[in-house]
Amino acid sequence: MIEILKPGVEKLEVLEKPTKECWINLIYPTEEDLVKLKQYIDVPQEIIVSLKDLDEIPTIEKHNKFTLVIIRTPYNNLNNDLEYYTIPLGVFICRDYIVTICYHENDVVNKLKSMRFEFKKSQFFLRILLTSA
């Protein structure tokens, strides 16, 4: 599922197309979602594949049109012996917006969607890290 969100006065507004200072969020992205994303940012296929790997390690990579940061975010797994574990979240910091991609339901992203905040890329990225911690 692809969501294009922009902070409004009261809550996040859902947009049809990305604008400056918006957040593009993909949870369980389908091939159709990834094709749509390629219109806005050309993400190499090997990055998409690496985000599917539950054991992907945190990293920072500088590319021509974006900076990729892969972080590990907590995942609440109450149906298993291990109550919490971590899952990879890819954060693409582009010139005009931020893109997040996760192949699992993500508590951090859900919490961010419920917060009110002013959107600045660096502050938003730090908010992702703080919420994850």
Side-chain angles (χ1 to χ4, degrees):
M1 172 181 74
I2 187 168
E3 299 173 296
I4 302 171
L5 306 164
K6 184 165 183 150
V9 177
E10 293 293 319
K11 60 181 183 172
L12 288 172
E13 298 172 9
V14 179
L15 305 174
E16 291 296 318
K17 292 186 176 185
T19 62
K20 271 191 164 196
E21 298 185 352
C22 75
W23 170 25
I24 302 172
N25 179 40
L26 288 92
I27 300 291
Y28 298 116
T30 63
E31 286 302 318
E32 183 180 296
D33 292 336
L34 296 173
V35 167
K36 189 174 182 182
L37 178 65
K38 285 214 181 252
Q39 296 172 6
Y40 314 124
I41 175 176
D42 189 22
V43 178
Q45 187 63 28
E46 61 268 9
I47 292 175
I48 299 299
V49 171
S50 71
L51 290 172
K52 291 180 182 180
D53 182 8
L54 279 177
D55 296 324
E56 182 64 27
I57 59 171
T59 187
I60 298 174
E61 298 176 7
K62 180 77 171 148
H63 293 265
N64 289 338
K65 299 197 178 196
F66 61 86
T67 299
L68 166 66
V69 182
I70 298 176
I71 62 172
R72 306 284 305 177
T73 61
Y75 179 76
N76 188 348
N77 186 28
L78 296 176
N79 299 329
N80 201 340
D81 294 338
L82 190 60
E83 187 175 343
Y84 283 95
Y85 59 91
T86 60
I87 55 174
L89 173 68
V91 181
F92 299 81
I93 304 169
C94 307
R95 195 183 79 172
D96 293 332
Y97 36 81
I98 284 188
V99 178
T100 55
I101 299 178
C102 190
Y103 278 90
H104 299 84
E105 192 62 37
N106 194 308
D107 295 336
V108 171
V109 170
N110 290 336
K111 190 168 185 178
L112 286 170
K113 289 195 299 190
S114 68
M115 293 177 165
R116 286 185 11 184
F117 53 86
E118 190 175 315
F119 191 87
K120 291 190 174 135
K121 290 184 299 185
S122 57
Q123 289 178 352
F124 183 68
F125 177 69
L126 292 173
R127 187 176 297 269
I128 290 171
L129 294 176
L130 178 64
T131 304
S132 181

